[in-house]
Amino acid sequence: MTPPSALPAPHAPSLDLGGRTALVTGAGGGIGRACALRLADAGAKVRAVDRDAAGLEALAEEARGLVGSVEPHVLDLTDLDAAELAAAGTDVLVNNAGLQLVRPIEEFPPDVFHTVLTVMLEAPFRLIRGALPHMYGQGWGRIVNVSSVHGLRASAFKSAYVAAKHGLEGLSKTAALEGAPHGVTSNCVNPAYVRTPLVEKQLTDQARAHGIPEERVLAEVLLQDSAVKRLIEPEEVAEAVAYLCGPHASFVTGTSLVLDGGWTAH
């Protein structure tokens, strides 16, 4: 018998999504942009969905020369019927789009709460609903929901965001249970704070809510509970998404892939 130390290293197959169609929401920047580029680099035809037309145009230009392609699709996800239609024929669905407002509950605008839940929970439901008939028909599909450490833990002043992410976790698990007999997996990816415009824009709100200067927010609020004292890069999250679409992840479903720098270890 070959001794363990002499065993050849296992070969990790590269991700090949040639012939597959992927849809990524919030693709105009941040995590969504990184996911769209990663999946296109693996050969997918990516439907890049965002309401930011300029961001999508820049993404499509950046994707030129990759193995796959990126097709911009300008869409406001509050148009739920359009969102469901956009997902038809999708093999890989990445629900990523999100928005944030930092306010105490008693000051949180009800209309913003409604919009956050619409974009970050109801729209993913409609997108999954639109994608499943095709996935079920071919016996293969990958749903990846970009959740957050806030899908597993709460933070003060983020009632809408935390509620939406907790709901997304439940939706993802339900899709996993229903999809398993059809070859469809559904999982969440749960990063802590990522270096994106969404995070950068909340520094002022966080400073106001916590009563501290803006320059102290990163260390004292955003990274306080993380053992790794840095922001995550969007490309790191995109690689986790890619893993869940790959051949070694066919048995991974109904779970959360946590990229939180040790936050939930507390």
Side-chain angles (χ1 to χ4, degrees):
M1 180 180 292
T2 305
S5 59
L7 290 174
H11 174 65
S14 60
L15 179 61
D16 181 4
L17 293 176
R20 301 290 191 188
T21 296
L23 187 152
V24 180
T25 66
I31 296 171
R33 170 190 161 278
C35 289
L37 292 172
R38 179 66 180 90
L39 298 180
D41 190 47
K45 177 182 176 182
V46 179
R47 297 177 190 167
V49 172
D50 205 299
R51 62 181 181 179
D52 178 8
L56 290 179
E57 184 178 343
L59 170 66
E61 184 63 31
E62 188 173 357
R64 295 186 191 281
L66 296 180
V67 180
S69 62
V70 170
E71 296 183 353
H73 191 111
V74 179
L75 175 64
D76 187 331
L77 291 178
T78 59
D79 186 342
L80 297 170
D81 290 338
E84 184 170 328
L85 287 172
T90 299
D91 304 301
V92 175
L93 173 62
V94 181
N95 283 311
N96 165 74
L99 57 153
Q100 178 67 277
L101 181 67
V102 181
R103 293 284 191 282
I105 291 174
E106 69 273 17
E107 298 177 12
F108 207 99
D111 61 324
V112 176
F113 190 95
H114 173 75
T115 299
V116 170
L117 269 291
T118 299
V119 171
M120 294 173 55
L121 183 55
E122 193 168 0
F125 160 71
R126 295 293 294 271
L127 286 153
I128 292 171
R129 189 174 188 271
L132 284 180
H134 171 72
M135 292 181 178
Y136 285 1
Q138 68 182 1
W140 190 94
R142 296 291 179 264
I143 299 166
V144 184
N145 299 298
V146 179
S147 181
S148 165
V149 68
H150 285 112
L152 307 173
R153 298 287 189 272
S155 288
F157 312 122
K158 295 185 175 182
S159 55
Y161 190 89
V162 170
K165 292 301 189 185
H166 273 66
L168 186 63
E169 296 281 328
L171 174 63
S172 183
K173 289 178 172 65
T174 301
L177 296 177
E178 294 184 12
H182 306 279
V184 176
T185 66
S186 175
N187 294 284
C188 287
V189 170
N190 299 66
Y193 289 101
V194 185
R195 193 185 305 278
T196 65
L198 183 69
V199 168
E200 292 167 355
K201 289 175 182 177
Q202 67 176 281
L203 294 179
T204 300
D205 280 351
Q206 289 276 15
R208 172 181 173 273
H210 289 273
I212 61 175
E214 192 170 321
E215 59 270 17
R216 289 168 50 189
V217 169
L218 183 63
E220 297 182 22
V221 179
L222 302 192
L223 300 180
Q224 181 182 27
D225 292 316
S226 177
V228 181
K229 299 299 184 183
R230 68 171 177 85
L231 298 175
I232 307 171
E233 300 301 327
E235 291 75 17
E236 293 178 271
V237 182
E239 202 58 42
V241 171
Y243 163 73
L244 291 171
C245 297
H248 277 183
S250 62
F251 206 71
V252 181
T253 195
T255 193
S256 300
L257 182 53
V258 184
L259 311 170
D260 68 350
W263 185 330
T264 54
H266 290 284

